[in-house]
Amino acid sequence: MDQKLFSNVVLVSAEIEEVKRLLEEPENLLKWIPEITTVDKKKHDFSITRAKPALNQQETITVEKGNNSVIYDSKGGRLEYQIVFLLSGQAGQTTIQEDVYVEKQTDIFLPLKLLVPIAKYSFNTNLNNLAAFIESGIVRKNS
């Protein structure tokens, strides 16, 4: 992926390892992205379906795990993209930076400059849902 579309950032009261563990299992998307109705684990990736009409009604996600990062690589939808979650923090606080990338030669029906503000808002809403889910304590109770 070559072109960074936008970044969103949120701070949560949780250890980096807790946040990373949650992000490394895409089945958890069902808990913080309300539009997603199914996450089916395959051998090396995850098939995702959304209930409402979306740019990517269905897509396939692969997960790459780094030291303090988790990368979702989306293929099979109308827009192929990559989300890089960068995690940093200390003393029980974690900053989650979400960077969204597309290939420079992306060919979709809508100019990217029109798509970016809509996508940034939607991704930011979901990132805040993730933060609320983490801070609800449900993650710690299920760990």
Side-chain angles (χ1 to χ4, degrees), residues 79-92:
L79 178 66
E80 295 188 348
Y81 63 93
Q82 189 175 68
I83 305 172
V84 178
F85 294 99
L86 300 171
L87 309 174
S88 61
Q90 57 188 1

Side-chain angles (χ1 to χ4, degrees), residues 106-124:
T106 297
D107 184 27
I108 59 170
F109 62 94
L110 190 65
L112 284 178
K113 68 181 181 178
L114 295 176
L115 175 67
V116 168
I118 297 165
K120 181 175 174 59
Y121 176 80
S122 178
F123 277 76
N124 192 53

Side-chain angles (χ1 to χ4, degrees), residues 11-23:
L11 178 67
V12 296
S13 295
E15 297 292 336
I16 287 177
E17 287 305 314
E18 183 181 337
V19 175
K20 188 175 177 200
R21 190 172 50 250
L22 177 69
L23 289 170

Side-chain angles (χ1 to χ4, degrees), residues 4 19 27 33 35 41 43 57 93 107 112 117-118 120 122 124 126 137:
K4 184 176 181 178
V19 175
E27 295 97 335
I33 302 180
E35 299 83 29
K41 186 173 184 173
K43 190 171 186 171
Q57 191 74 33
Q93 298 279 307
D107 184 27
L112 284 178
I118 297 165
K120 181 175 174 59
S122 178
N124 192 53
N126 290 333

Side-chain angles (χ1 to χ4, degrees), residues 2 17 25 43 60 64 69 74 79 82 97 120 142:
D2 308 302
E17 287 305 314
E25 297 296 329
K43 190 171 186 171
T60 300
E64 184 179 324
S69 67
S74 171
L79 178 66
Q82 189 175 68
Q97 179 174 322
K120 181 175 174 59
N142 291 334

Side-chain angles (χ1 to χ4, degrees), residues 14-96:
E15 297 292 336
I16 287 177
E17 287 305 314
E18 183 181 337
V19 175
K20 188 175 177 200
R21 190 172 50 250
L22 177 69
L23 289 170
E24 288 175 345
E25 297 296 329
E27 295 97 335
N28 289 314
L29 291 169
L30 292 164
K31 299 172 184 171
W32 52 281
I33 302 180
E35 299 83 29
I36 293 179
T37 55
T38 60
V39 177
D40 294 323
K41 186 173 184 173
K42 310 288 184 191
K43 190 171 186 171
H44 299 288
D45 54 33
F46 298 82
S47 178
I48 294 174
T49 305
R50 289 177 176 77
K52 298 179 183 177
L55 190 58
N56 286 354
Q57 191 74 33
Q58 295 182 322
E59 61 190 298
T60 300
I61 301 282
T62 54
V63 178
E64 184 179 324
K65 303 168 187 179
N67 281 342
N68 286 327
S69 67
V70 177
I71 300 170
Y72 290 178
D73 195 15
S74 171
K75 303 283 186 209
R78 288 191 285 180
L79 178 66
E80 295 188 348
Y81 63 93
Q82 189 175 68
I83 305 172
V84 178
F85 294 99
L86 300 171
L87 309 174
S88 61
Q90 57 188 1
Q93 298 279 307
T94 300
T95 299
I96 306 170

